[in-house]
Amino acid sequence: MTLQDLGWRESLAESFAQFHTQGLRTGRVSIQHRDLYHLLTVEGEIEGIVTGRFRHTATHPADFPAVGDWVVFAPTQDDGPVAIQAVLPRRSKFSRMAAGTTPYEQVIATNVDTVFIVSGLDDNHNLRRIERYTMQVWQSGAVPVVLLNKADVCADVAAVLAEARAALPGVDVYAVSGWRGDGVETLGRYLAAGQTVALVGSSGVGKSTLINFVLGRQQMLTHDVRSGDSRGRHTTTHRELIRTPGGAMLIDTPGMREFALWADGGAGESGGRNTDEADGDDTFADIAELARGCRFPDCRHMNDVGCRVQQAVQAGSLDYARVRSYRALAREMSLTSRQTNPARGRADADTKRRTQRAARRSVKRGLRQDGDDDGFPGEA
Ligand SMILES: Nc1nc2c(ncn2[C@@H]2O[C@H](COP(=O)(O)OP(=O)(O)OP(=O)(O)O)[C@@H](O)[C@H]2O)c(=O)[nH]1
Ligand SMILES: [Mg+2]
Ligand SMILES: [Zn+2]
């Protein structure tokens, strides 16, 4: 097993170099059990806990290792847990707003290339919810792909598929049956060796079933949905990173009851805003910074003359996939702010108004998003 087999990117080499010279190693978080982390390393699976110093210097729950993270640890002689000293920079970060006395950012998965947004074509299908997930995935720095699962129980798959594709320009949408395997082979393009794919969506939509199909074995626990309303039973209880036989890394997640996704900048208009601004932790802050140096203010960061973003990609210091997400987000933000869709009704006019405000601020602040995702419907 090499680091590349676990999804390592050359862009991490620079940050890791200082630790490497001190004899420290790196591994990827596959599971978190409270304070104990399972790590995948070139030498196999080990356990780790963060050092007292780490705990002390962490200022926020989101600073702690999350599933998908590359962490730095000191090797040990005995077989106790290793000491995790640092988390390497995340190339993407998918968070939700965790409920509590004060809402805080809970990191769901990091260093993800593609997020499969899974929806069930039984009674679970909700296009508005999928649109919101899509938006948030773009913001996380990963690329969203929508899977309309349980195609085997849907009477008119073609119609639902056409509707979803029309609503989600620039997003790949597929109808699949993770249970029968229909359409799953087309997902191979996202599952190449070294790619990391997270699956999100309500409980019972079939995330774990899809993963089992791809793995070719019944590894993840699955459970039938409630008859009547197709709601799931929260079968998966923790996030987990699993390597497929083809070498992709899949992250299974529990269906979320309240899916209030976190947007950089805080917990919403009323509270917690600006918490992340001080440490400049935006997903695209580095690209936005480069973009300010492009020769033309309307640079599309493609083949434009004098484009600093493309120069960084050529130089190998910037991941092209992130540039794609950055461009897609910019496009989607300007699209949403111009589009009027009378069919959407009142609730969505409200969402649109908030999105427009966010878009305006993003432009001003270099694509910085603030949290205005309070419109997520509760789900179970
Ligand atoms: N008909 C049909 N049923 C499916 C399909 N995929 C999954 N299911 C069923 O849906 C139920 C829920 O599947 P899971 O894989 O446990 O769902 P999950 O998304 O992992 O749910 P949580 O772990 O609770 O978040 C199970 O009974 C599956 O057999 C499908 O393609 N077609
Ligand atoms: Mg599951
Ligand atoms: Zn440019």
Side-chain angles (χ1 to χ4, degrees):
M1 188 79 60
T2 66
L3 288 178
Q4 279 68 27
D5 290 333
L6 300 172
W8 179 262
R9 290 290 186 286
E10 241 1 89
S11 51
L12 290 165
E14 202 183 323
S15 336
F16 183 53
Q18 47 161 328
F19 298 109
H20 192 53
T21 55
Q22 299 168 40
L24 300 176
R25 309 261 175 86
T26 184
R28 199 160 184 205
V29 176
S30 62
I31 300 179
Q32 177 189 359
H33 286 305
R34 292 179 178 274
D35 293 342
L36 190 70
Y37 296 92
H38 290 212
L39 307 179
L40 304 180
T41 75
V42 290
E43 277 114 24
E45 196 172 332
I46 58 172
E47 291 178 346
I49 47 174
V50 300
T51 60
R53 171 139 44 126
F54 186 109
R55 192 170 291 283
H56 218 76
T57 49
T59 56
H60 197 275
D63 293 343
F64 283 82
V67 170
D69 268 335
W70 287 98
V71 296
V72 174
F73 63 89
T76 50
Q77 302 307 326
D78 56 57
D79 35 80
V82 297
I84 297 173
Q85 305 196 352
V87 175
L88 293 179
R90 296 159 167 165
R91 71 171 184 277
S92 64
K93 179 180 74 167
F94 193 72
S95 303
R96 73 187 280 244
M97 193 158 70
T101 34
T102 38
Y104 67 95
E105 177 188 4
Q106 181 183 40
V107 180
I108 295 169
T110 66
N111 300 315
V112 171
D113 299 295
T114 309
V115 175
F116 286 169
I117 298 167
V118 188
S119 172
L121 289 180
D122 40 12
D123 291 343
N124 173 270
H125 187 59
N126 178 333
L127 201 46
R128 298 288 93 81
R129 187 163 62 211
I130 296 173
E131 283 177 336
R132 287 197 268 242
Y133 269 107
T134 304
M135 190 82 162
Q136 299 286 353
V137 173
W138 284 127
Q139 289 176 23
S140 79
V143 176
V145 170
V146 172
L147 303 186
L148 307 177
N149 191 31
K150 310 195 184 184
D152 54 289
V153 297
C154 178
D156 196 350
V157 176
V160 187
L161 194 56
E163 186 201 16
R165 284 180 172 155
L168 302 162
V171 178
D172 291 346
V173 184
Y174 304 97
V176 297
S177 169
W179 186 51
R180 286 206 316 218
D182 310 355
V184 178
E185 75 286 352
T186 57
L187 306 180
R189 71 189 68 173
Y190 309 102
L191 301 174
Q195 289 289 301
T196 302
V197 178
L199 287 87
V200 302
S202 309
S203 178
V205 296
K207 300 178 293 297
S208 300
T209 304
L210 260 166
I211 291 179
N212 284 340
F213 189 88
V214 172
L215 292 177
R217 58 177 190 269
Q218 299 300 312
Q219 177 161 339
M220 313 310 282
L221 202 64
T222 64
H223 204 298
D224 59 348
V225 296
R226 301 196 310 216
S227 58
D229 61 6
S230 301
R231 284 177 179 229
R233 299 169 189 266
H234 296 280
T235 308
T236 302
T237 53
H238 62 268
R239 297 179 277 280
E240 181 169 356
L241 178 85
I242 315 117
R243 196 163 178 276
T244 70
M249 310 293 291
L250 296 183
I251 300 178
D252 195 6
T253 69
M256 288 168 216
R257 198 178 298 278
E258 287 165 44
F259 200 79
L261 273 160
W262 184 269
D264 269 340
E269 312 242 297
S270 50
R273 217 145 86 58
N274 299 334
T275 45
D276 276 355
E277 296 191 2
D279 49 32
D281 189 28
D282 294 69
T283 314
F284 296 116
D286 55 335
I287 303 182
E289 181 58 41
L290 284 167
R292 276 191 280 277
C294 293
R295 184 170 308 167
F296 301 106
D298 59 347
C299 185
R300 291 162 307 141
H301 319 306
M302 292 171 80
N303 299 315
D304 312 55
V305 178
C307 175
R308 293 269 313 280
V309 175
Q310 279 302 332
Q311 283 164 14
V313 172
Q314 305 293 320
S317 58
L318 182 62
D319 204 342
Y320 178 64
R322 294 188 55 243
V323 177
R324 261 181 42 201
S325 296
Y326 175 83
R327 278 205 309 257
L329 177 60
R331 187 181 60 225
E332 195 153 333
M333 295 301 292
S334 65
L335 201 79
T336 331
S337 60
R338 266 186 268 121
Q339 219 168 39
T340 40
N341 188 343
R344 289 196 186 179
R346 218 161 245 248
D348 282 288
D350 192 41
T351 309
K352 198 179 130 232
R353 186 172 47 76
R354 281 186 277 115
T355 312
Q356 279 174 337
R357 275 209 307 269
R360 277 197 297 274
R361 271 191 300 263
S362 303
V363 172
K364 272 192 239 141
R365 292 148 60 203
L367 264 179
R368 189 187 291 278
Q369 287 302 291
D370 63 2
D372 57 354
D373 44 24
D374 48 337
F376 276 88
E379 55 185 63

